[in-house]
Amino acid sequence: MTTGTDRAAVEKILAEAAAEGRSSLTAPEGRAVCEAYGIATPRERLAATADEAVAQATEIGLPVVLKIVSPDILHKTEAGGVLVGLRTAEDVAEGFATILANVKAYNAKAKILGVQVQQMLTSGQEVIIGSVSDQTFGKVVAFGLGGVLVEVLKDVTFRLAPTSTEEALSMVDGIAAAEILNGVRGAEAVDKGALASIIHRLGRLVTDFPQLAEVDLNPVLATASGATAVDVRILVDPDAAKEPLRFSQEEILASMTRIMKPAAVAVIGASAEAGKIGNSVMKNLVNGGYAGEIYPINPKATEILDRKAYASIADVPGDVDVAVFAIPAKFVPAALEEAGAKGVAGAILIPSGFGETGNIELQDEVVAIARKHGVRVLGPNIYGYYYTPENLSATFCTPYDVKGGVALSSQSGGIGMAILGFSRSAKMGVSAIVGVGNKADIDEDDLLTFFEHDDNTQLIAMHLEDLKDGRSFAETAKRVSLKKPVVVLKAGRTSQGAKAASSHTGALAGDDKVYDDILRQSGVVRAPGLNDMLEYARGIPLLPTPKGENVVIITGAGGSGVLLSDACVDNGLSLMEIPADLDTAFRKFIPPFGAAGNPVDITGGEPPSTYRNTIALGLSDERVHALILGYWHTIVTPPMVFAELVVDVVEEYRRKGIHKPVVASLSGDVEVEEASDHLYANGIVAYPYTTEKPVTVLGAKYRWARSAGRL
């Protein structure tokens, strides 16, 4: 619990607001809530008359600010209910009358409780600190520059509430304009600790009182000696305190293990007719080599693919772990009742015609039936799922059997098939490919929990359009990403801004920036596009975890070196400042007209030995932590000669226990394609015709290593 808090005082204020049916707090109530949690506000009083306002202004000290206090006026400035810089008693008296007249003209029926007389703070940097009940992540806190800048620049950062003081400080340092807070052009630096304390306390406040739907502290004036919330706006909504149903880790693991490693699978709607979904699912299960029991369910058949068919899953003699549904949506509820009574762990709902078509009622009915029987539902509206360690292809799409350590999921069937095709083409071994579709029940955090404990999975990559329970996902991803990289492609980056909001913080939170900040806070590596996600999934597991930040570029082409350097900057990589002794060592192997430094330019006409010697030097020097190679196709050192020598020297150092990430960019004629494939097949991430891709994958590895505390 945050020290210096008075929960009872806040409870009393909120009880009074609830009794009156109000959805917002008055400014004095907002100030009292802040003070109860140790958030400083200016000195102020509430005046009922002009004479009271003058007396209070004199007591507080001129100049002052006057603000209308009315439960019916949320945006005081729009109503003409704010006057600033009142320096004399006459100004205050006239201002009191002006505000009342303005507000009555704006809303004649508004209930006026009085006028707030507030100390006017005349110095400090304006920032905004706020909280909003995000529809995806629940309670989040926000920080950014205040005043008119906040909505123009949108230079704001977000975190899940509550935050630690360290996380809060990372928010203060995390905005693009953070340098302003350090003091520019002779200005004093602000007290960042005081700002972090307000963020931390606000996060604790909205966690303790989740009915606080939106809180705006805007502006907060920050000085060298502290920070004060000048204006407070608080919206209250009992629905903001509601939380989704959540299963425990133990419950998730128990169900997901039976789903991913079933001893028996029933196909409801199995068919002997080629071209039917129920036939394709059966063929994939049988021909894919799944060794468990397979039970076709079809009341009109006695045998399907040489297996006895049953009229109902209830007729199956043994236990069933998974039921794959390949029947029209309208028949699913009755069949699910039977599957639930049978004790299945998972219902794999392939059919469409549920929430994605607007049929929310049918989808809710299915979930209610599943909950009653303790069944977890995957889908509906999916292509199924694959789990290669069990030779399980529970899908109507093409089979897949290239085993490896990457688990992938997608919300879209089309993206799922792109994942499948890429994996096959790139020879990327996978442990699982899972369609989640509408996510009526099982979603990404269920999958993360299973893959976290799955010895067959080393990396998880997920395509998602939304998160059903973003807070649960973020908390799970934070735990999982410490052990295994989690890569996310979040679709719909540009469509989030349409959400209406009643506060500055709410408006700013209707932006993809919330996803970006919270995914980063959770240790997730976010991919900008589908190909990026797939290349990260393919490349990150191959690269050893770097032991430091020093990256060295060795290139045979100066132009590639410049582009590779740019790519390093774009991906947050640090080009090593080459020490004098290492510079001398490199110069022993490169021609006089080459260039040491970083990039190390060996020039294009050099023999294989120059590449070998310089790469070996980079691997052997413990101050170098990662290598980026830029190859230029020449007859002197042909592409496959280059590829083979790189593999040879990297493996030589691996045998010595030296494991550093090495990536390569190959420029040249078509032979560089085969050379790149050879490098990749030997654990060296390499691409032809691009300087950006290898560095992007290396940058992704570094982002994960930093967030997981490996660096």
Side-chain angles (χ1 to χ4, degrees):
M1 180 174 174
T2 301
T3 56
T5 60
D6 185 353
R7 291 189 62 157
V10 179
E11 286 168 354
K12 182 180 178 183
I13 292 168
L14 293 179
E16 290 172 358
E20 296 173 14
R22 289 191 278 124
S23 60
S24 63
L25 302 186
T26 64
E29 287 173 331
R31 175 182 180 273
V33 167
C34 285
E35 293 287 347
Y37 269 69
I39 298 171
T41 61
R43 295 194 303 275
E44 65 178 41
R45 302 286 187 276
L46 182 64
T49 67
D51 288 343
E52 281 187 14
V54 170
Q56 291 167 359
T58 303
E59 177 192 346
I60 290 171
L62 294 161
V64 294
V65 177
L66 299 185
K67 300 176 182 178
I68 193 67
V69 179
S70 167
D72 301 315
I73 304 292
L74 186 61
H75 296 285
K76 298 183 286 292
T77 304
E78 290 179 9
V82 178
L83 293 175
V84 300
L86 306 176
R87 299 185 176 280
T88 66
E90 292 76 15
D91 290 343
V92 173
E94 290 177 12
F96 187 96
T98 299
I99 281 181
L100 291 185
N102 289 345
V103 170
K104 286 176 180 177
Y106 180 79
N107 182 356
K109 296 181 180 180
K111 180 182 179 181
I112 297 174
L113 302 180
V115 172
Q116 188 180 29
V117 183
Q118 187 181 79
Q119 171 193 15
M120 183 173 173
L121 301 178
T122 57
S123 64
Q125 174 63 51
E126 288 190 6
V127 301
I128 180 173
I129 297 173
S131 173
V132 67
S133 302
D134 185 79
Q135 61 185 354
T136 298
F137 294 103
K139 300 297 180 190
V140 299
V141 288
F143 173 80
L145 291 185
V148 295
L149 291 175
V150 67
E151 289 190 18
V152 175
L153 301 179
K154 293 187 175 4
D155 185 13
V156 183
T157 187
F158 299 88
R159 297 289 188 278
L160 290 177
T163 68
S164 66
T165 50
E166 291 77 15
E167 286 174 328
L169 197 56
S170 78
M171 294 177 71
V172 176
D173 289 328
I175 61 172
E179 196 58 35
I180 290 176
L181 304 177
N182 294 329
V184 292
R185 297 195 174 183
E188 280 190 300
V190 306
D191 184 347
K192 291 183 180 180
L195 291 174
S197 176
I198 292 178
I199 296 169
H200 169 67
R201 290 173 180 277
L202 178 59
R204 189 73 265 165
L205 169 66
V206 298
T207 303
D208 290 345
F209 298 96
Q211 65 267 50
L212 298 180
E214 295 184 18
V215 179
D216 255 1
L217 309 180
N218 184 30
V220 172
L221 279 183
T223 66
S225 57
T228 307
V230 175
D231 195 32
V232 180
R233 180 183 301 156
I234 298 178
L235 304 182
V236 184
D237 181 1
D239 288 343
K242 292 181 179 178
E243 290 195 348
L245 172 70
R246 293 186 176 126
F247 295 95
S248 69
Q249 281 191 57
E250 292 74 21
E251 290 171 325
I252 292 170
L253 272 175
S255 296
M256 292 303 302
T257 299
R258 285 183 66 194
I259 291 169
M260 303 303 285
K261 302 177 179 181
V265 177
V267 180
I268 299 176
S271 173
E273 184 181 341
K276 295 272 190 177
I277 287 178
N279 179 259
S280 298
V281 173
M282 283 293 300
K283 282 182 177 177
N284 278 335
L285 287 169
V286 172
N287 299 336
Y290 170 63
E293 296 292 338
I294 303 171
Y295 298 113
I297 310 299
N298 186 327
K300 297 178 181 179
T302 57
E303 186 178 272
I304 296 174
L305 296 186
D306 299 325
R307 279 167 170 74
K308 180 180 177 178
Y310 297 87
S312 164
I313 194 172
D315 300 329
V316 172
D319 293 333
V320 178
D321 296 298
V322 169
V324 181
F325 287 68
I327 55 177
K330 63 183 178 180
F331 299 125
V332 168
L336 184 57
E337 283 279 11
E338 294 179 345
K342 184 68 177 173
V344 304
I348 314 306
L349 301 189
I350 288 176
S352 56
F354 292 90
E356 82 284 356
T357 62
N359 200 345
I360 303 294
E361 188 176 340
L362 180 60
Q363 186 163 305
D364 289 345
E365 180 186 359
V366 165
V367 173
I369 294 169
R371 291 277 185 270
K372 180 174 69 173
H373 293 287
V375 178
R376 299 303 307 272
V377 172
L378 184 61
N381 185 33
I382 61 171
Y383 49 86
Y385 71 110
Y386 305 77
Y387 186 63
T388 62
E390 297 289 322
N391 298 317
L392 181 65
S393 291
T395 171
F396 65 92
C397 298
T398 54
Y400 190 79
D401 60 0
V402 183
K403 298 177 182 179
V406 178
L408 303 111
S409 71
S410 69
Q411 216 167 325
S412 155
I415 299 301
M417 290 306 95
I419 288 170
L420 193 74
F422 176 91
S423 301
R424 198 185 305 279
S425 174
K427 300 179 181 63
M428 179 173 71
V430 306
S431 59
I433 302 175
V434 183
V436 293
N438 296 2
K439 294 192 285 194
D441 177 25
I442 291 174
D443 59 9
E444 287 84 2
D445 44 299
D446 294 296
L447 299 179
L448 280 175
T449 299
F450 173 77
F451 292 130
E452 173 188 9
H453 297 277
D454 181 29
D455 292 338
N456 298 302
T457 298
Q458 281 76 54
L459 177 145
I460 305 111
M462 297 178 153
H463 157 265
L464 55 92
E465 294 168 4
D466 57 24
L467 286 170
K468 188 176 65 181
D469 183 353
R471 177 170 289 266
S472 180
F473 175 85
E475 291 170 352
T476 305
K478 189 168 189 175
R479 185 185 73 243
V480 176
S481 63
L482 292 174
K483 307 173 187 176
K484 303 176 182 183
V486 178
V487 178
V488 166
L489 168 61
K490 167 62 175 70
R493 288 182 294 113
T494 58
S495 62
Q496 295 295 310
K499 186 179 73 170
S502 303
S503 68
H504 292 289
T505 308
L508 292 163
D511 191 278
D512 184 64
K513 188 70 163 60
V514 178
Y515 262 98
D516 204 48
D517 284 352
I518 292 177
L519 290 178
R520 187 181 300 108
Q521 181 188 7
S522 303
V524 165
V525 176
R526 188 169 180 183
L530 176 58
N531 186 256
D532 301 281
M533 181 190 84
L534 295 170
E535 293 293 3
Y536 292 177
R538 179 189 178 202
I540 288 175
L542 294 182
L543 294 175
T545 301
K547 293 185 170 69
E549 297 282 357
N550 288 337
V551 177
V552 170
I553 298 170
I554 298 172
T555 180
S560 292
V562 174
L563 292 174
L564 290 167
S565 299
D566 289 343
C568 285
V569 173
D570 292 341
N571 287 279
L573 297 174
S574 299
L575 285 177
M576 180 184 184
E577 289 189 18
I578 305 292
D581 64 312
L582 184 57
D583 180 84
T584 300
F586 271 122
R587 289 184 185 279
K588 290 178 182 177
F589 300 121
I590 62 178
F593 47 86
N598 198 1
V600 179
D601 184 1
I602 68 172
T603 74
E606 287 300 292
S609 59
T610 305
Y611 278 107
R612 175 182 290 275
N613 290 331
T614 51
I615 294 168
L617 179 58
L619 291 171
S620 64
D621 193 300
E622 62 183 14
R623 294 168 294 182
V624 178
H625 302 125
L627 290 179
I628 299 173
L629 310 180
Y631 167 76
W632 179 33
H633 186 165
T634 67
I635 295 175
V636 178
T637 304
M640 279 303 294
V641 171
F642 168 77
E644 288 168 353
L645 76 85
V646 172
V647 170
D648 184 56
V649 72
V650 168
E651 288 185 346
E652 175 189 337
Y653 280 88
R654 287 174 182 165
R655 288 192 295 271
K656 296 176 181 178
I658 296 173
H659 299 270
K660 298 181 182 182
V662 179
V663 302
S665 162
L666 283 72
S667 299
D669 211 331
V670 293
E671 294 98 316
V672 297
E673 297 173 18
E674 182 186 2
S676 296
D677 290 342
H678 181 72
L679 287 164
Y680 224 123
N682 287 276
I684 297 155
V685 172
Y687 297 92
Y689 319 130
T690 171
T691 52
E692 293 78 24
K693 271 190 178 182
V695 181
T696 301
V697 174
L698 180 62
K701 182 75 177 194
Y702 262 96
R703 292 205 301 280
W704 170 73
R706 293 183 194 116
S707 67
R710 305 296 179 92
L711 280 173

